[in-house]
Amino acid sequence: MEEPDPIRPQEETFALDPASLADAQLAFIGRIVSPWSRREDCPKNMGEARRRACPAVILIAPAFRPALAGLVAGQWLHVLTWLGRARRDLAIQMPRHASAPRGTFSLRSPVRPNPIGLHLVQIVALDVASGRIDIDGIDVLDATAVLDLKPYLGSVDMPPAPSPTEPSIRGETA
């Protein structure tokens, strides 16, 4: 395993490194085939990945291919990945784009206690027999492990419209 990125000024680690715990058992169901082999080349988010117009592929292991039944080309899919090359010990991070440090849970950074990536992709083509899902793009490194696939369902995944008294994301009232 490669050395973690160095800690930036104003960053803080957790009192306990989550990577030292063994309390979950996950099964990698496949892997991502992407054009990105170096972190510095990888898009920072799905918006950037789509702008680069570099399609990618999800390869599902043979044992899990029957679970692809019902998926279709054109469908949107949540892909959960294991970002195994990311640090896991930072509670406070100093994002490159920010002027002040922020808590890990307020960021979409791969650096988190459980480095699980969440990616909303569109299925371009699907071959269930070979376990190949061509997707519109991805923001992870080549060979990243896939944990799970879940269909995007607009009827349940879209947040409800805010009420007039509901606080906005900035904590203000609408």
Side-chain angles (χ1 to χ4, degrees):
M1 185 168 160
E2 61 189 68
E3 286 294 313
D5 291 335
I7 295 176
R8 296 184 191 120
Q10 301 184 56
E11 291 185 329
E12 299 175 24
T13 61
F14 288 109
L16 172 72
D17 184 352
S20 69
L21 303 173
D23 59 356
Q25 298 209 357
L26 301 171
F28 296 158
I29 65 167
R31 65 182 172 84
I32 300 290
V33 178
S34 83
W36 324 115
S37 59
R38 300 176 335 138
R39 280 187 249 188
E40 52 270 18
D41 298 331
C42 189
K44 299 296 181 205
N45 56 55
M46 285 300 300
E48 183 182 337
R50 287 190 182 92
R51 283 189 295 279
R52 292 190 192 184
C54 292
V57 174
I58 303 169
L59 294 177
I60 300 299
F64 301 101
R65 291 176 187 165
L68 297 173
L71 294 179
V72 296
Q75 180 176 8
W76 290 91
L77 192 64
H78 290 289
V79 180
L80 285 86
T81 57
W82 183 257
L83 306 173
R85 298 183 199 176
R87 299 188 72 103
R88 299 181 65 181
D89 62 341
L90 293 184
I92 303 294
Q93 298 183 43
M94 185 60 217
R96 288 183 185 92
H97 68 300
S99 60
R102 296 184 43 198
T104 290
F105 299 140
S106 72
L107 299 168
R108 296 288 299 261
S109 164
V111 176
R112 44 203 334 101
N114 295 303
I116 297 171
L118 175 65
H119 322 272
L120 182 61
V121 302
Q122 188 171 34
I123 299 173
V124 174
L126 175 67
D127 181 344
V128 173
S130 69
R132 181 184 173 107
I133 307 169
D134 291 75
I135 55 176
D136 62 332
I138 197 69
D139 57 346
V140 298
L141 297 173
D142 187 51
T144 294
V146 176
L147 293 172
D148 206 351
L149 305 173
K150 296 178 185 263
Y152 172 86
L153 303 172
S155 61
V156 294
D157 289 333
M158 186 176 296
S163 71
T165 58
E166 184 177 324
S168 73
I169 196 163
R170 291 182 198 85
E172 306 157 349
T173 54

